[in-house]
Amino acid sequence: MIRLSKKADYSLMALKHILAKENEPSSAREIAQTYGIPFEVLAKLLQKLTRKGYLISQHGTKGGYSPAPASQTITVRDVLEAIEGPLALLDCSNPRKGTCDQEKYCSVRRPLARVEQKVLELLGRTTLREI
Amino acid sequence: MIRLSKKADYSLMALKHILAKENEPSSAREIAQTYGIPFEVLAKLLQKLTRKGYLISQHGTKGGYSPAPASQTITVRDVLEAIEGPLALLDCSNPRKGTCDQEKYCSVRRPLARVEQKVLELLGRTTLREI
DNA sequence: ACAATATCCGATGAAATAGGTCGGATATCT
DNA sequence: AGATATCCGACCTATTTCATCGGATATTGT
C-alpha cells in the first residue's frame, strides 16, 4: 500500500490551523477538540514539528503553538519527513532498514527508484500555504 | 509512511521475470528461488494477478505462468491495485475504510486529494515494460 | 496407470507498525 | 499559589502485513 498515516493527516490539519491564525498561538488542546484528534497524540506531533523548527511553542496560560519563519515555505514532504523520518517508497532505499536480501538479484530497484524520486518531488513541490 | 509493500516488490519482480521470457512459462518455484522470495507468498500473488487477467496459468509439469495479452500495457498502478486493492493515499478516500471521523472539520482533504490524484497518475503512466 | 510437478484455496500464526494511553516534569500567566 | 500550557519517555494495544501449513485439483511424462 501507499498511504499517508493518520499522524500525517493530523499534522497537516493542525499546521494549517496554526498557520491560519498567525497572531495568537493555538493550544494543542484547542486544536484536538476542534478536529476530533486524541490530545496526547497531537501534542507529540506538534512537539516534533517544533523541534524541527517549523513551530514556536509557548508555555503557560495563553500559550500554544505559533508558526516559525521556516513554516512559510514548508511542504507536505517536509511534514512527512518530520513526523515519520526519511521517506522511502521502497524498503531497499530506506536508510532505517538494513540491506535488502534481494539486492543482488533485484531487477526492479533502479527503475522504481526513479518513480520514487518523482513522487518525492511532487510532495516537495506542494507547500502547505497552497493547501 | 508512504511505501511499497514487500508483496508489491515481489509482484513487480516476478512480473518482470515472466514478461522477459514470453516463450516458456515460468513456475512460481523457479521465480521464488531465483529472487529469494518465500514460495507460498509468491504463489498467491501470482494467483491474484492471474485472476485479474494479467497472467495465464498452466498446470502440470512444464507448467507455470506466462504473460496474458493484458500484461503488455500493465502499469505499476495496475499491479498495486491487483495486489492490495484500491489505492488510497488518504484513509478518507479509501473505499475500504468507513467514513472519516474528521470529515466535517477536515480542512486538508480536498487539496490532498489533488496530490493523491497526481501520484496515482504518475504510477499509472509507468508501465512494466519500461521498467 | 502412476508419479512428479504445477497451480489453486482457505485458514492460521507470527512479526512489525501504528495509534493511543499514562505518569510526571517544567514553564508561564493571572 | 494555582491554573493552564508545553514537554518527555515509557508502555500498552489494535491493526496490518508477512509468512506458514494442509490439502485439493489439474497436467505432463514415463
Side-chain angles (χ1 to χ4, degrees):
Chain A
M1 256 300 260
I2 168 175
R3 57 182 256 272
L4 264 63
S5 65
K6 268 189 188 169
K7 290 186 181 181
D9 283 346
Y10 294 163
S11 305
L12 291 171
M13 282 191 271
L15 264 172
K16 184 176 176 184
H17 182 99
I18 295 169
L19 290 189
K21 0 176 124 181
E22 310 192 48
N23 310 324
E24 44 173 352
S26 319
S27 78
R29 180 158 274 113
E30 164 204 345
I31 299 176
Q33 283 176 351
T34 306
Y35 299 99
I37 302 172
F39 166 70
E40 293 90 349
V41 174
L42 178 62
K44 275 198 212 128
L45 295 173
L46 294 177
Q47 286 159 27
K48 275 190 185 175
L49 292 171
T50 303
R51 279 196 291 272
K52 293 285 178 179
Y54 299 121
L55 293 176
I56 294 171
S57 69
Q58 181 70 25
H59 284 219
T61 323
K62 295 268 183 186
Y65 295 89
S66 20
S71 68
Q72 294 300 318
T73 57
I74 190 174
T75 66
V76 173
R77 176 174 179 179
D78 291 331
V79 176
L80 295 183
E81 289 187 338
I83 297 302
E84 330 204 28
L87 298 183
L89 216 68
L90 287 55
D91 281 348
C92 57
S93 63
N94 188 338
R96 290 184 302 177
K97 305 258 177 158
T99 54
C100 170
D101 293 348
Q102 282 87 20
E103 191 111 18
K104 33 183 179 304
Y105 328 106
C106 179
S107 54
V108 295
R109 177 176 186 170
R110 287 268 189 88
L112 285 182
R114 279 205 300 274
V115 174
E116 172 179 80
Q117 202 53 38
K118 284 186 185 174
V119 172
L120 292 183
E121 278 173 20
L122 179 58
L123 296 177
R125 275 202 307 272
T126 311
T127 69
L128 227 72
R129 283 285 169 199
E130 63 184 281
I131 275 188
Chain B
M1 254 300 262
I2 168 177
R3 57 181 256 272
L4 265 63
S5 65
K6 269 189 188 171
K7 290 186 180 179
D9 283 347
Y10 294 163
S11 304
L12 291 171
M13 282 191 271
L15 264 173
K16 185 176 176 185
H17 183 97
I18 295 170
L19 290 189
K21 357 177 124 180
E22 312 191 47
N23 310 324
E24 44 171 353
S26 319
S27 78
R29 193 171 304 277
E30 164 204 344
I31 300 177
Q33 283 177 349
T34 306
Y35 298 99
I37 302 173
F39 166 70
E40 294 89 349
V41 174
L42 178 62
K44 282 207 200 104
L45 295 173
L46 294 177
Q47 287 159 26
K48 275 190 183 174
L49 291 172
T50 302
R51 280 195 292 271
K52 293 285 176 179
Y54 298 122
L55 292 176
I56 294 170
S57 69
Q58 181 70 25
H59 284 219
T61 323
K62 294 268 183 187
Y65 295 89
S66 21
S71 67
Q72 292 301 318
T73 56
I74 191 175
T75 65
V76 174
R77 176 173 178 178
D78 292 330
V79 176
L80 295 183
E81 289 186 339
I83 297 301
E84 331 203 28
L87 298 184
L89 215 67
L90 288 54
D91 281 348
C92 57
S93 62
N94 188 339
R96 291 184 302 176
K97 305 259 178 157
T99 55
C100 171
D101 295 345
Q102 283 87 22
E103 192 112 17
K104 34 186 179 305
Y105 328 107
C106 179
S107 54
V108 295
R109 177 175 185 167
R110 289 269 189 86
L112 284 182
R114 279 206 301 276
V115 174
E116 173 179 80
Q117 202 53 39
K118 285 187 184 173
V119 172
L120 292 183
E121 279 173 19
L122 178 58
L123 295 177
R125 274 201 309 272
T126 311
T127 70
L128 227 70
R129 283 285 170 201
E130 62 185 281
I131 274 187

